Amino acid sequence: MAAPLPSHILIIGATGNIGKYITNSVVQSRSSFPKITVLTSVSTASAKHELLNGWKASGVSIIVGDVTNPADIANAYRSVDTVISCVGRDLLDQQKEWIRLAEESEGVQWFFPSEYGTDVEHNSRSPDEKPHQMKLAVRKYVREHTRRLKVTYLVVGPYFEMWVGMGNFGYQLGGFDIKNQEATVIADGRGQIGFTTMPDTGKAVIAALRHPEASFNKALKVASFVATPNQVLAECEKQTGAKFTVKHIPLAEVETFEAQMWKEQNPFAVGPTLRRIWATGGTLYDKWDNQSIGLGSSILESLEVAVQRHVRGETF
């Protein structure tokens, strides 16, 4: 007998960078999921009231509470069977308590910890990568402390929208400046990267929810498309009709910059580590899980579409 689809989904971290995309996808698919609830903080309820009110108008229940308070989490779990966490790095460790409460609850059957990023168990270097430590700790807790609860980790490639921009360190870590027609590329730009767009991350969550038996107790690896930085460059030049000035950054320079950032305890040190991982095959697999959860290429965004948004200046 096939596992039933979720009947009441609770989303924590709904208004964050990726949380918005995941929540919008769940709301747009509400015909498949009878009840959707968002747990948010008092400050977020005030600061992002327009976003929350829009979801509320679509039939989403909004609960205001303190996600660090076990009583508020337990209260939010009432009648819920599936929890989707979309929280940022500052709350990743808190998930262990949420998972404990879910395991002990009568109703919660399925939990999605906040992954939606680089695979923390990709290769032999993964256990020592500094940005991975909190997610690794959550996975360890799940292995050691859950018996009944089903858990799904959704692993995606770098969000194309974030990777392609110049950001704070574009000239040291890579990026594509459409206005000035400049590109900065790590190494020779020929290394493949498995990208996932932010809208497609939301679609992937829905696909997993609709295929519980293919998703239970697995780390699902999904990607929108695979491309090299040189292919991204070619697409940018094609769509703008301009020839870009290209700067190549040796991988050794990225590694030196990475070490310096961590030594200085720079809060942005995660960036160069992830850029180095992405540039050295840390997003590639012999097989992705797209097909196993019904995530066909026809519903995913292409490199062309992703670059179009960047050329238009759209941000995440």
Side-chain angles (χ1 to χ4, degrees):
M1 182 177 178
L5 297 185
S7 62
H8 186 177
I9 297 172
L10 173 69
I11 306 174
I12 306 175
T15 64
N17 283 334
I18 197 57
K20 291 180 292 186
Y21 288 90
I22 291 172
T23 304
N24 280 333
S25 290
V26 174
V27 172
Q28 291 164 10
S29 305
R30 61 188 178 277
S31 59
S32 298
F33 312 114
K35 192 169 183 179
I36 304 164
T37 298
V38 165
L39 173 62
T40 193
S41 66
V42 173
S43 59
T44 300
S46 174
K48 300 184 178 180
H49 63 276
E50 291 185 4
L51 177 62
L52 293 165
N53 286 340
W55 289 333
K56 190 174 182 180
S58 297
V60 176
S61 298
I62 308 296
I63 297 177
V64 176
D66 180 357
V67 297
T68 67
N69 184 340
D72 285 0
I73 294 293
N75 180 63
Y77 281 176
R78 292 178 183 174
S79 79
V80 165
D81 55 43
T82 302
V83 178
I84 301 175
S85 172
C86 313
V87 297
R89 289 187 175 274
D90 58 330
L91 285 171
L92 289 178
D93 192 63
Q94 192 68 38
Q95 293 179 117
K96 290 184 284 188
E97 177 67 3
W98 304 344
I99 291 166
R100 181 188 70 80
L101 292 167
E103 174 73 13
E104 295 176 358
S105 73
E106 296 182 357
V108 180
Q109 305 295 318
W110 196 3
F111 198 103
F112 284 69
S114 186
E115 288 265 338
Y116 323 116
T118 305
D119 189 358
V120 299
E121 295 180 333
H122 184 276
N123 56 49
S124 60
R125 291 190 65 176
S126 298
D128 299 318
E129 299 288 9
K130 290 183 175 69
H132 295 353
Q133 297 310 304
M134 285 185 287
K135 289 182 180 180
L136 286 169
V138 170
R139 291 195 183 194
K140 182 175 185 290
Y141 184 88
V142 168
R143 286 193 296 269
E144 295 178 353
H145 297 281
T146 60
R147 299 292 180 270
R148 179 191 60 81
L149 189 68
K150 304 291 192 301
V151 176
T152 298
Y153 308 100
L154 185 66
V155 174
V156 302
Y159 303 134
F160 185 84
E161 298 87 341
M162 293 186 177
W163 177 90
V164 75
M166 294 299 288
N168 294 323
F169 304 101
Y171 292 105
Q172 292 99 337
L173 299 175
F176 294 76
D177 184 339
I178 299 299
K179 180 180 178 180
N180 295 308
Q181 299 170 4
E182 295 177 346
T184 307
V185 175
I186 295 175
D188 61 8
R190 296 177 183 176
Q192 290 187 324
I193 300 174
F195 292 104
T196 312
T197 68
M198 296 176 88
D200 282 352
T201 300
K203 295 173 191 174
V205 171
I206 298 303
L209 290 169
R210 286 177 170 158
H211 295 81
E213 292 178 336
S215 304
F216 284 161
N217 300 324
K218 291 181 180 178
L220 300 172
K221 288 89 170 175
V222 301
S224 299
F225 53 84
V226 177
T228 67
N230 288 345
Q231 289 174 315
V232 176
L233 171 63
E235 188 63 34
C236 287
E237 292 181 333
K238 175 183 176 182
Q239 293 193 25
T240 60
K243 190 69 176 175
F244 280 46
T245 300
V246 183
K247 173 189 174 184
H248 290 272
I249 313 167
L251 182 60
E253 287 188 15
V254 175
E255 293 172 332
T256 299
F257 184 58
E258 174 189 1
Q260 175 188 341
M261 294 275 277
W262 285 110
K263 183 179 180 179
E264 296 173 353
Q265 298 183 334
N266 190 303
F268 296 104
V270 167
T273 299
L274 293 179
R275 290 275 177 168
R276 185 251 305 157
I277 291 171
W278 300 337
T280 55
T283 66
L284 301 176
Y285 304 91
D286 293 332
K287 182 181 180 182
W288 274 266
D289 293 300
N290 293 35
Q291 295 301 322
S292 68
I293 57 173
L295 198 61
S297 58
S298 62
I299 65 173
L300 295 173
E301 296 187 317
S302 64
L303 171 61
E304 179 182 6
V305 169
V307 169
Q308 281 174 355
R309 282 205 299 271
H310 184 55
V311 169
R312 290 196 296 261
E314 296 181 19
T315 61
F316 52 86

